[in-house]
Amino acid sequence: PTAFVPASLGTFDLAESDGRIVFTGLDPRTGPQPFSSDLTPGGTEAIAMIGGVLAGNSDPNHLTVLDGGRVVFNACDGHNGGGLWGSDGTEAGTQRLVADVCFPRLQILQRLGGLAFFQLLKKLWRTDGTPAGTFPLLDLPTPLRDPAALGGRFLFVLDPPAFPPSANGWEWDFWTSDGTAAGTQLAFPFRFGSTPDPITTAGGLGFFQARAATAPFPLQLWRTDGTEGGTRPLLDLRDGPTGLPVEVAAVGERTYFVAWARSVGPELWVTDGTAAGTAPVIPDLAAPRPVNLTDLTAFRGALYFYAQSGNPATWGLWRSDGTDAGTRLLKAVDRPHPVLIGVSDASPELTPVGDQLFFRADDVVHGLELWKTDGTPDGTVLVKDIAPGSR
């Protein structure tokens, strides 16, 4: 190997760019640096050396690949502070775009084609990965929330300037941007009884949770197309965790999501974008169903996800065509365990590649390894036992 990532590195980012990957790698002299690779030893090299010695490494993170192949990322120059950097994959073409302190980290809010949006000094900025294409778009008088890419534009929500006592909620402003100052505009105001949760997009719509602005202020699942008329509730929800993105996946004309709207707890729902066309995939409350669903992923015209079922509950890979009869366990194989991988994210990381769907799983015999499926039980198999042993 020409670069490696030790367990103690802490931050590891990876993104794909025109047949190559860019990632956080470890240079033995200067510590973590941005690397590029064509997945061969000879084609793996540091993009640039930022910062000084190992103790003052650059620690690149939030690597984001823009259309056209340019990469933007946050990094810390030990001599001159931190900031956002842009790169064309060469050291000469790697430049600091804006300067900032090393901590807290500057984060990319959203990628939109050849642009990335971020916050700095109470302003919304855009960048195309070059110094000339990096500039502020809007002063932010209140916190920016819920950014998403929708309909070819950057959609975001601004808090009300104050929260006086109110019987009919407060007004949040929905804004959109095309990446120009003139095209960054207030789209519409909307009243809610609570701060809208982060927006997740699928099937041309954005989905989020928020409370209605009128008593008894029910928690609801909302949809938006970026217009006032296209922003409306789809489903009343039971009170539960808030502040998290809704997990959604679009398959054809329908969008699947996980919601807690009935007594059986969080379950799989499907919608066509209307309240009348929103229904549980398994209507019968007494019927067995998958629970603790995660990693909703569209693959070969169907929905795949990880969930538990049975008594005692067993984890496995599931497939659904949107019907009760067509929702079934494909393969019982445990997902990763946080205690095994030492992180809070125990996601199977379902990843479609061509006609195969790859994921992480632990069948007890081989430990945590790479698996794949072609959508059939017999075609759901271990790819390779990379590290032999059950743990």
Side-chain angles (χ1 to χ4, degrees):
T2 57
F4 65 95
V5 183
S8 60
L9 179 59
T11 302
F12 176 66
D13 271 347
L14 181 147
E16 186 273 336
S17 173
D18 293 338
R20 298 177 65 86
I21 62 169
V22 290
F23 65 97
T24 305
L26 181 66
D27 177 77
R29 295 178 294 104
T30 61
Q33 297 290 353
F35 276 72
S36 174
S37 177
D38 61 5
L39 301 184
T40 68
T44 302
E45 58 186 0
I47 294 173
M49 293 298 172
I50 302 170
V53 297
L54 185 61
N57 59 71
S58 67
D59 190 17
N61 56 78
H62 299 291
L63 273 69
T64 303
V65 178
L66 308 179
D67 287 359
R70 292 194 69 86
V71 181
V72 293
F73 57 92
N74 186 32
C76 183
D77 184 330
H79 303 292
N80 301 305
L84 187 73
W85 296 68
S87 177
D88 62 3
T90 68
E91 183 167 6
T94 301
Q95 302 168 284
R96 192 199 309 261
L97 305 177
V98 293
D100 192 21
V101 297
C102 287
F103 300 99
R105 295 296 192 186
L106 185 156
Q107 297 185 16
I108 299 296
L109 297 173
Q110 185 68 52
R111 184 186 73 86
L112 183 65
L115 298 177
F117 295 82
F118 61 96
Q119 287 187 83
L120 179 65
L121 302 175
K122 295 186 177 180
K123 297 178 184 289
L124 173 67
W125 293 63
R126 58 89 84 174
T127 182
D128 62 2
T130 69
T134 303
F135 50 81
L137 296 172
L138 179 72
D139 289 334
L140 298 175
T142 61
L144 181 153
R145 301 184 185 273
D146 313 329
L150 184 64
R153 299 177 69 86
F154 177 60
L155 172 70
F156 60 99
V157 181
L158 294 183
D159 275 359
F163 292 87
S166 173
N168 63 342
W170 301 270
E171 201 168 78
W172 275 262
D173 288 338
F174 283 68
W175 286 70
T176 62
S177 177
D178 62 2
T180 68
T184 302
Q185 302 173 336
L186 173 65
F188 60 93
F190 211 96
R191 299 191 77 85
F192 297 104
S194 68
T195 301
D197 284 352
I199 297 172
T200 306
T201 58
L205 294 173
F207 298 86
F208 60 95
Q209 291 186 168
R211 292 191 180 278
T214 55
F217 311 107
L219 183 65
Q220 297 174 313
L221 177 74
W222 292 71
R223 55 143 277 177
T224 184
D225 61 4
T227 69
E228 183 174 10
T231 303
R232 54 182 181 267
L234 291 179
L235 183 67
D236 284 351
L237 304 173
R238 295 198 168 209
D239 280 350
T242 59
L244 300 174
V246 179
E247 184 157 7
V248 298
V251 181
E253 299 296 319
R254 298 186 294 180
T255 299
Y256 297 86
F257 62 93
V258 179
W260 188 5
R262 306 193 299 168
S263 60
V264 292
E267 58 180 329
L268 185 63
W269 289 71
V270 63
T271 184
D272 61 3
T274 68
T278 301
V281 171
I282 301 177
D284 184 359
L285 286 170
R289 69 195 61 243
V291 298
N292 295 325
L293 290 78
T294 185
D295 277 34
L296 271 61
T297 304
F299 174 64
R300 299 184 71 170
L303 179 76
Y304 291 78
F305 56 92
Y306 243 76
Q308 286 181 301
S309 62
N311 187 17
T314 300
W315 283 101
L317 180 67
W318 286 70
R319 180 188 188 277
S320 178
D321 63 2
T323 67
D324 187 342
T327 302
R328 64 182 188 275
L329 177 67
L330 195 65
K331 183 83 170 184
V333 55
D334 210 351
R335 68 173 188 169
H337 298 274
V339 68
L340 295 180
I341 56 179
V343 296
S344 59
D345 178 16
S347 167
E349 298 184 0
L350 272 63
T351 305
V353 180
D355 60 356
Q356 302 286 339
L357 178 65
F358 292 86
F359 59 98
R360 304 187 305 166
D362 181 353
D363 65 356
V364 180
V365 176
H366 301 92
L368 180 59
E369 296 290 355
L370 180 67
W371 287 66
K372 68 175 182 178
T373 184
D374 62 3
T376 67
D378 290 343
T380 305
V381 296
L382 174 72
V383 175
K384 181 180 177 64
D385 188 7
I386 298 173
S390 60
R391 287 291 183 267

